[in-house]
């Protein structure tokens, strides 16, 4: 599986709600950084962060507009949409970078987005 195929599968697991399959694609020491916020290091920290974030999310509907590989890193331009449990839909524009370790697992995942857009989307404004 190429690195681009791995990222497509990773995003597919988010959209399918299969978090265990998503975690299986990550290295034990994965660093997940939503760049306007502090990073999470390691699978346990990532699991805790995802659980907290997903508490009010019914489903993910992430759309990849562009994807490319450069020097082993995969770059994505996406719209990450979320169906919330209260019936609302929130969406943000995201640029993501995925880096892989020697075993082909995701070692670093950085998403860059506008925090104001994020706050407005999730506040319903």
């Amino acid at each position: 599986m190429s690195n681009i195929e791995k990222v497509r599968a990773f995003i597919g697991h988010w959209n399918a709600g299969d978090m265990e399959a998503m975690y299986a694609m990550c290295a034990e020491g994965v660093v997940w950084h939503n760049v306007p916020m502090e990073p999470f290091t390691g699978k346990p920290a990532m699991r805790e962060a995802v659980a907290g974030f997903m508490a009010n999310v019914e489903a993910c509907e992430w759309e990849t507009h562009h994807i490319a590989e450069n020097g082993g890193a995969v770059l994505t331009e996406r719209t990450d949409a979320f169906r919330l449990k209260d019936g609302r839909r929130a969406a943000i524009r995201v640029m993501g970078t995925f880096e892989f370790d020697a075993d082909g697992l995701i070692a670093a995942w950085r998403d860059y987005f506008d925090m104001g857009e994020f706050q407005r989307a999730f506040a319903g404004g």
Side-chain angles (χ1 to χ4, degrees):
M1 182 181 286
S2 73
N3 288 342
I4 287 177
E5 290 169 331
K6 290 174 191 174
V7 170
R8 288 189 191 280
F10 182 80
I11 291 168
H13 295 320
W14 276 90
N15 285 342
D18 190 348
M19 296 306 165
E20 290 308 312
M22 179 272 291
Y23 295 128
M25 298 188 76
C26 297
E28 286 302 318
V30 64
V31 177
W32 176 33
H33 193 181
N34 288 311
V35 171
M37 300 178 245
E38 292 299 314
F40 301 98
T41 301
K43 273 191 193 180
M46 183 182 189
R47 283 178 179 275
E48 185 177 337
V50 169
F53 181 74
M54 294 298 289
N56 295 319
V57 175
E58 184 73 32
C60 296
E61 300 168 346
W62 295 4
E63 179 183 359
T64 301
H65 305 292
H66 298 98
I67 191 166
E69 186 168 356
N70 184 7
V74 174
L75 312 173
T76 60
E77 178 186 12
R78 309 188 314 266
T79 299
D80 289 2
F82 304 88
R83 279 188 289 122
L84 305 179
K85 290 182 178 175
D86 66 6
R88 292 181 297 123
R89 183 178 184 273
I92 57 172
R93 296 168 295 169
V94 177
M95 290 296 296
T97 302
F98 297 82
E99 296 176 0
F100 299 85
D101 68 10
D103 295 323
L105 297 172
I106 296 169
W109 170 27
R110 293 181 302 281
D111 275 345
Y112 302 84
F113 56 89
D114 181 281
M115 182 58 96
E117 181 179 301
F118 174 86
Q119 290 170 333
R120 287 187 302 276
F122 280 84

